[in-house]
Amino acid sequence: MNTEKFIANRITIAKNSKTQYSKIISRLCVIAISVSISIIVLSICFGEGLKKSIENNFVELFSNIRIENFTNNDHIYTESDTFSLNPKKIEQIKGLKKINHLQPVLTKFTALSHKNNLNGTILLGIDSTYKIEYINKNIKKGNTDLSWEKGDYPKIIISSKIAKKLEANINDTILFSFARIKKNSSKSDTTATFSNSIISGIYESNIKEFDEKICYVNMNYLRHKFKLNDNTISYYEVFTDGNIDIKKITKIINSPLIKVLSLNEKFPWLYQWVNSFNNNIYFITIIMVIICLINMLSFIIILILERTYMIGILKSFGTNNQRISKIFFYISLKITMKGILYGNLIAIIILFFQNKFEIIKLNPESYFVKKLPFEFPLEKIIQVNILSLILIQFALIIPLLIITRLKPTKILYIK
């Protein structure tokens, strides 16, 4: 029979008046641990969810890797210089491990006008290879049909922000105003200056700058309008299944005039911000564990003070400090496990309601998502629970020192 465990159980279920104060403190201790653990679990789930959602949004819009002209600046919302890549090299890149998709994009700056309203815009010329799923997912009105034949007005997909500025809607005709194309120092070709287009779809991406600047048109229309050959593009977007060494792609291209950039290099500020979520999670975890330690320490000290006579009797019968310490260790362990169990349960209930009713909303202009997303990284949560269970037991160090200093003769004499 485990005597220490038996005594610990008797103490925790005792109902005499002397233990009422410690029982109140023990309940408060369970509540404190439950709240702390639930906050830790929620911070992990929401932090991981927000990180993943933001990264996924940017990957879907901008891809993992971009192949572009070396002369391009790092600003994503400007017209890119064009170039062409050998079809054989394109196939070699597609054949690399972890590469799951490659798509060309042709960009042109234009001013859209409708009802005396004007908006500067970057047109993304896309073809049938473009991953249209993300646009489909974010279409609010209309469709993603950008089919075009010579002689027809091109179709355009605009954002809800641009539509609001232009006071335009589905099937409205809007005017493109392109910059003049200079043939030489003395002559200009004005054939590509103006063009009408029809709105086929209105999207909303939750990324403010993207929604304010980007529209989609058929790539063949832009090539025809600007008299470009079939291989001319502004950049290639490369989607991967995981991390890939971009040096492999650079080696295949083998051109000093073309550069390969990862999303991290294109948006360094984004990854610095997203990685700061980890620091916040660590900070919250440390603070909450410290709160648990202080509460457990307070409870055990009070319990020892209430059970001083019991400790004196046990010591008078020859029970050593180690065995007496075990009694309080079992009590601490029981309360901690109860608090951790309730804390995880509270967190799961909150996550359920957030998933069901989207209670917590976010400003998409600041966080790139409308609701607070979450992930449930089971492995991390288990690790945090185990770590918390172990660390909270360090609260016993000071009470154990108190136990070792208690002398049975003095305790029983005072009693």
Side-chain angles (χ1 to χ4, degrees), residues 148-337:
W148 174 78
E149 296 291 338
K150 288 181 183 179
D152 294 341
Y153 284 167
K155 297 172 184 176
I156 183 172
I157 300 172
I158 66 175
S159 72
S160 56
K161 286 185 180 292
I162 295 174
K164 188 176 180 180
K165 285 181 181 179
L166 296 177
E167 298 179 28
N169 212 328
I170 297 298
N171 298 323
D172 283 352
T173 301
I174 59 176
L175 184 68
F176 291 156
S177 300
F178 294 107
R180 293 172 184 263
I181 307 168
K182 291 187 176 180
K183 284 184 173 180
N184 51 52
S185 59
S186 60
K187 293 183 180 180
S188 295
D189 181 1
T190 60
T191 56
T193 304
F194 300 103
S195 177
N196 285 317
S197 64
I198 298 171
I199 300 173
S200 65
I202 297 175
Y203 76 91
E204 191 175 307
S205 74
N206 294 327
I207 298 177
K208 182 182 176 182
E209 278 196 26
F210 193 91
D211 287 0
E212 289 177 344
K213 296 286 184 182
I214 303 300
C215 296
Y216 297 91
V217 295
N218 190 295
M219 185 187 292
N220 290 330
Y221 160 73
L222 290 180
R223 283 175 175 165
H224 172 75
K225 196 70 179 175
F226 289 91
K227 299 179 174 57
L228 302 173
N229 65 50
D230 291 345
N231 293 324
T232 302
I233 54 99
S234 296
Y235 53 83
Y236 284 99
E237 293 181 337
V238 183
F239 294 86
T240 68
D241 289 326
N243 293 327
I244 184 171
D245 188 358
I246 60 175
K247 290 179 181 178
K248 293 180 180 179
I249 299 175
T250 305
K251 189 176 180 181
I252 292 172
I253 294 169
N254 191 27
S255 172
L257 301 177
I258 301 172
K259 60 182 176 181
V260 183
L261 296 173
S262 66
L263 190 64
N264 192 348
E265 292 170 310
K266 204 71 181 173
F267 296 101
W269 60 268
L270 174 71
Y271 283 85
Q272 289 170 6
W273 178 51
V274 166
N275 289 333
S276 70
F277 294 170
N278 292 331
N279 297 331
N280 295 337
I281 291 170
Y282 296 145
F283 180 74
I284 290 168
T285 302
I286 291 167
I287 295 298
M288 291 300 108
V289 170
I290 289 172
I291 290 170
C292 292
L293 276 166
I294 293 170
N295 277 276
M296 184 58 72
L297 174 62
S298 303
F299 166 67
I300 295 296
I301 289 174
I302 291 168
L303 187 61
I304 288 172
L305 293 174
E306 283 191 348
R307 292 287 172 174
T308 304
Y309 188 67
M310 181 197 77
I311 293 169
I313 292 173
L314 289 172
K315 282 194 172 187
S316 67
F317 282 112
T319 309
N320 59 35
N321 289 324
Q322 186 180 359
R323 295 191 69 183
I324 295 171
S325 298
K326 274 187 180 181
I327 295 170
F328 295 95
F329 169 74
Y330 285 125
I331 295 170
S332 170
L333 192 64
K334 185 176 181 179
I335 289 173
T336 306
M337 290 182 72

Side-chain angles (χ1 to χ4, degrees), residues 6 88 122 292 365:
F6 173 78
K88 288 184 179 178
I122 299 294
C292 292
E365 293 188 1

Side-chain angles (χ1 to χ4, degrees), residues 48-58 368-369 373-374:
E48 290 293 323
L50 198 55
K51 251 171 64 174
K52 190 172 180 180
S53 294
I54 292 170
E55 287 177 351
N56 286 346
N57 275 349
F58 272 77
F368 311 116
V369 288
F374 67 87

Side-chain angles (χ1 to χ4, degrees), residues 23 26 32-33 46 100 135 145 148 158 187 205 273 316 319 341 359 373 393 403 415:
K23 285 186 81 64
S26 72
I33 293 172
F46 288 134
N100 61 30
I135 308 175
D145 179 22
W148 174 78
I158 66 175
K187 293 183 180 180
S205 74
W273 178 51
S316 67
T319 309
L341 178 64
I359 299 166
Q393 305 318 307
I403 291 171
K415 189 69 177 177

Side-chain angles (χ1 to χ4, degrees), residues 10 79 103 116 155 192 195 301:
R10 295 290 295 176
E79 182 177 330
Q103 60 194 27
N116 297 321
K155 297 172 184 176
S195 177
I301 289 174

